[in-house]
Amino acid sequence: MAEQIEISVIFLVYMLVMMGIGVYYYRRTRNMSDYFLGNRKLGAWVTSMSAEASDMSGWMLMGLPGFAYVAGLNAGWIALGLALGTWANWQFIAARLRIYTELANNSLTLPDFFENRFFATSGALRIVPAIFILIFFILYTSSGFVAAGRLFETIFHLPYLTALLAGAGVVVFYTLVGGFLAVSRTDFIQGVMMFFAILVVPVGAAIMLGGFTTTAELIYTEHASFFSPLTKVDGSTLGFIEFISLMAWGIGYFGQPHILVRFMAIRHAEELPQATRIAMAWVVISLSAAILVGMVGAVYLQTPLEGTAAETVFLAMAGELFPPVFAGLILAAVLAAIMSTASAQLLVAASAFAQDIYRRSFRPHAQQVELVWVSRMSVLAIAAAAIYLGLSPDNFILDMVAYAWAGFGAAFGPALLMCLFWRRTTERGVLAGIVTGGVTVLVWKQLALFGLYEIVPGFFFGLIAIYVVSMLDAEPAHEVTDLFDRVDGT
């Protein structure tokens, strides 16, 4: 009982600190640029840590270790795909997107950029992307709330529904009041916490088992297949389609609005090389440690974890390994991971509704203060929908993330790549690519054709649609190609 009280106190203090940061930045949020991009004033460290914390989230501490707990190094293909995708995103997308969005009428959101990139006036390049953002972010945010529910359920022994509502409430509060500045600052803190937490748990468990060599021998004795990356959970060999599906997680990075918006917010594009180095070190070490958590947990924990409980392997190990105060800090890092991503997703989804649907379709002359309040109301509505989708305790976090990840990667990845690097791209081409990619994911997921991860056909068909429609379309207007050339010249 005393241990439970100590862990609870650590948790409450952490939550109060995060909420306090939200209240502090509430007083500094005066307009839409502040609320959504922090007025483009983030430094390299905050940008990199914020991007990776909002990317990895609770699935890195729960979903991926849960996969490794049953599959061993077979789960490493996802990690490898993500690491390569992260590098490509920072290396090729970040600087160009930062420059282009500022030149394109200081675009604040991805739909904002698509419209300003083509000087479009129809509204289609705002509204259609915003609809897909709302669809997939409700699902993505729901996965975060499910993770929060599992966390609160494990620590406080609450009923799942109560735990779900409590975790969601904390995230919604500080997103609601603080906006981008609060989310980015807390993401920095949370990114640091996640990094050390994911390292200390597998290392601590290995030491308790007698050292790294002894632990490896124990894993090999009890789960020899864990060291065979091409061996699946059921003992069969990983096929080509399955391999492509795991590695394809990497191409999803090009279309994730909550990550791309961090590139748009950095103070100067010149700071991006430093931010890239920081981000890559964080990602490679953290993803490797997440795989180790699952593999070491399979021999460290005495009670097997079945079904969705496998995704609590990190929580169970932390609770057994460390004294209450330290365990409370580590478990708070899980909440940090969940909060960082869910809050970023809520913020982007709210911006899509306020900027790209409400302002465009209903109130074109709405003042900044009104739009900020509409955004805050949108956060509440989107969170309510995400909670509804997360009501079932049988949801697998990794499955929910995979679906949303594919949706964004296929809908926006091809569109963003073509907008940034192909001057012949047209407005109608991009619109066709977004619709084709997004709809393909929605349909393919239901049909589950060939066992192929839906991001692969979605991304491929999206690229083809953009190319074909753009080539059939008239040449882009002079001001469109001139803007493209100005970006090339910077």
Side-chain angles (χ1 to χ4, degrees), residues 45 49 60-61 188-204 282 285-286 289 293 314 322 326 329-331 333-334:
W45 276 92
M49 296 298 281
M60 188 189 79
L61 299 179
F188 178 78
I189 298 168
Q190 291 165 172
V192 172
M193 290 178 67
M194 288 164 63
F195 181 78
F196 285 107
I198 199 69
L199 280 179
V200 76
V201 167
V203 170
W282 192 99
I285 294 171
S286 298
V293 168
F314 179 88
F322 303 107
F326 197 52
L329 287 171
I330 291 174
L331 294 174
V334 182

Side-chain angles (χ1 to χ4, degrees), residues 27-105:
R27 302 176 65 183
R28 295 181 58 181
T29 300
R30 298 178 180 85
N31 55 49
M32 295 295 280
S33 184
D34 284 342
Y35 194 68
F36 293 135
L37 287 185
N39 213 16
R40 298 187 193 265
K41 291 182 179 178
L42 300 189
W45 276 92
V46 174
T47 299
S48 59
M49 296 298 281
S50 176
E52 299 318 317
S54 63
D55 167 14
M56 294 305 174
S57 78
W59 75 264
M60 188 189 79
L61 299 179
M62 296 176 75
L64 188 57
F67 187 15
Y69 178 83
V70 297
L73 287 179
N74 184 244
W77 295 115
I78 290 180
L80 179 59
L82 290 170
L84 292 174
T86 299
W87 175 80
N89 217 19
W90 282 96
Q91 187 70 25
F92 302 113
I93 303 299
R96 195 168 180 86
L97 182 63
R98 170 63 179 84
I99 294 166
Y100 218 144
T101 52
E102 188 167 24
L103 289 177
N105 199 28

Side-chain angles (χ1 to χ4, degrees), residues 80-395:
L80 179 59
L82 290 170
L84 292 174
T86 299
W87 175 80
N89 217 19
W90 282 96
Q91 187 70 25
F92 302 113
I93 303 299
R96 195 168 180 86
L97 182 63
R98 170 63 179 84
I99 294 166
Y100 218 144
T101 52
E102 188 167 24
L103 289 177
N105 199 28
N106 193 31
S107 304
L108 301 182
T109 68
L110 209 52
D112 208 11
F113 168 63
F114 288 143
E115 185 171 73
N116 292 337
R117 158 75 165 79
F118 297 102
F119 298 85
T121 57
S122 68
L125 272 181
R126 277 182 179 270
I127 296 171
V128 172
I131 290 171
F132 281 108
I133 284 175
L134 289 173
I135 291 171
F136 290 116
F137 263 145
I138 288 172
L139 182 63
Y140 212 147
T141 305
S142 183
S143 72
F145 290 168
V146 169
R150 296 250 170 85
L151 177 64
F152 277 58
E153 190 180 28
T154 301
I155 294 172
F156 300 114
H157 305 293
L158 295 171
Y160 176 75
L161 178 59
T162 306
L164 179 71
L165 293 173
V170 174
V171 176
V172 170
F173 177 85
Y174 94 104
T175 307
L176 199 64
V177 298
F180 189 88
L181 287 169
V183 168
S184 297
R185 265 48 176 198
T186 52
D187 275 357
F188 178 78
I189 298 168
Q190 291 165 172
V192 172
M193 290 178 67
M194 288 164 63
F195 181 78
F196 285 107
I198 199 69
L199 280 179
V200 76
V201 167
V203 170
I207 291 171
M208 292 296 290
L209 289 170
F212 295 101
T213 303
T214 303
T215 301
E217 291 172 351
L218 194 58
I219 295 172
Y220 186 79
T221 301
E222 296 187 18
H223 305 279
S225 65
F226 276 16
F227 291 99
S228 301
L230 297 178
T231 300
K232 299 192 297 181
V233 177
D234 61 6
S236 61
T237 301
L238 188 72
F240 177 73
I241 288 180
E242 293 161 321
F243 174 77
I244 293 297
S245 295
L246 291 173
M247 290 295 289
W249 278 71
I251 61 175
Y253 272 104
F254 302 130
Q256 306 300 319
H258 58 298
I259 299 171
L260 297 169
V261 74
R262 265 64 186 171
F263 301 154
M264 295 159 63
I266 196 167
R267 188 166 43 218
H268 302 294
E270 291 76 16
E271 296 185 69
L272 283 166
Q274 180 190 3
T276 301
R277 291 190 292 272
I278 297 167
M280 286 309 302
W282 192 99
V283 165
V284 171
I285 294 171
S286 298
L287 288 176
S288 301
I291 300 296
L292 282 177
V293 168
M295 294 177 65
V296 175
V299 295
Y300 179 80
L301 297 174
Q302 298 302 307
T303 305
L305 301 173
E306 304 289 344
T308 57
E311 294 188 323
T312 64
V313 58
F314 179 88
L315 311 181
M317 289 174 70
E320 288 190 20
L321 273 170
F322 303 107
V325 173
F326 197 52
L329 287 171
I330 291 174
L331 294 174
V334 182
L335 181 62
I338 296 163
M339 289 172 70
S340 62
T341 299
S343 59
Q345 292 160 351
L346 281 171
L347 199 60
V348 174
S351 73
F353 179 80
Q355 282 280 91
D356 307 315
I357 295 177
Y358 178 81
R359 188 179 194 180
R360 181 76 203 190
S361 301
F362 304 108
R363 294 272 293 170
H365 302 296
Q367 298 299 307
Q368 292 289 310
V369 174
E370 178 184 345
L371 291 173
V372 170
W373 277 105
V374 168
S375 299
R376 287 175 170 142
M377 294 303 101
S378 304
V379 167
L380 289 176
I382 294 162
I387 290 170
Y388 176 76
L389 289 180
L391 288 177
S392 171
D394 297 325
N395 288 316

